[in-house]
Amino acid sequence: MPDPALVFLFATLPFSFWAAWSDLREMRIPNKLNLALFAMFLILGLILLPFGDYATRIGIAAAAFFVGFVLNAVGVIGGGDVKYIAAMLPYIPPGDLGLFCFILAACLLAAVAVHRIARALPPIRRLVPGWESWTAGKYFPMGFGLSGGLTAYLAVTAFNLRVGIG
């Protein structure tokens, strides 16, 4: 049986690039991306995981979606970000949620720094002049950092890079 983290890494990579690019360009993460990412887990998870783990991961995604829905309703987080988080959470084993949150926090901070620096450099802005994220004001394209977090976590686990972490 192949390592689920390795399969999940390569399966989610195109979605991570798509979500980051779309959020940077349009300040939105398409619903079809989130549905496809979740559907892929439903298929791969059923093949790669014990049923109890599979069901638990879907339950965690549902709980995250509910909490995110409430946070979106009060204006704390964007709807696309909530759906993306719910679609990507099943790829994370429940026992690794702490490690994932640590990696995700680091990736979100790095994404903010990289985006702010890139936004301040005219040569970079000229490369992609139509990106809405350049002028989004107080809003930030979280799909950029969320994608980095998912990819970094899956790479760390797939290639057993946990030395000195958790």
Side-chain angles (χ1 to χ4, degrees), residues 110-121 133-134 137-141:
V112 169
V114 167
H115 185 266
R116 295 300 188 241
I117 291 167
R119 184 173 73 177
L121 298 172
S133 67
W134 294 146
K138 69 176 186 170
Y139 297 105
F140 175 73

Side-chain angles (χ1 to χ4, degrees), residues 129-156:
W131 278 6
E132 286 186 34
S133 67
W134 294 146
T135 58
K138 69 176 186 170
Y139 297 105
F140 175 73
M142 277 187 41
F144 180 39
L146 292 170
S147 293
L150 176 62
T151 301
Y153 166 79
L154 290 172
V156 163

Side-chain angles (χ1 to χ4, degrees), residues 76-134:
V76 174
I77 189 170
D81 300 326
V82 168
K83 291 176 269 189
Y84 187 41
I85 290 166
M88 64 189 231
L89 268 179
Y91 293 93
I92 312 303
D96 275 359
L97 286 173
L99 173 63
F100 173 68
C101 287
F102 176 79
I103 291 171
L104 181 61
C107 288
L108 285 167
L109 289 172
V112 169
V114 167
H115 185 266
R116 295 300 188 241
I117 291 167
R119 184 173 73 177
L121 298 172
I124 292 177
R125 285 185 68 153
R126 282 193 295 272
L127 289 173
V128 282
W131 278 6
E132 286 186 34
S133 67
W134 294 146

Side-chain angles (χ1 to χ4, degrees), residues 9 27 29 32 39-40 63 68 75 83 96 118 132 140:
L9 171 63
M27 290 299 294
I29 300 170
K32 63 185 174 184
M40 182 179 304
K83 291 176 269 189
D96 275 359
E132 286 186 34
F140 175 73

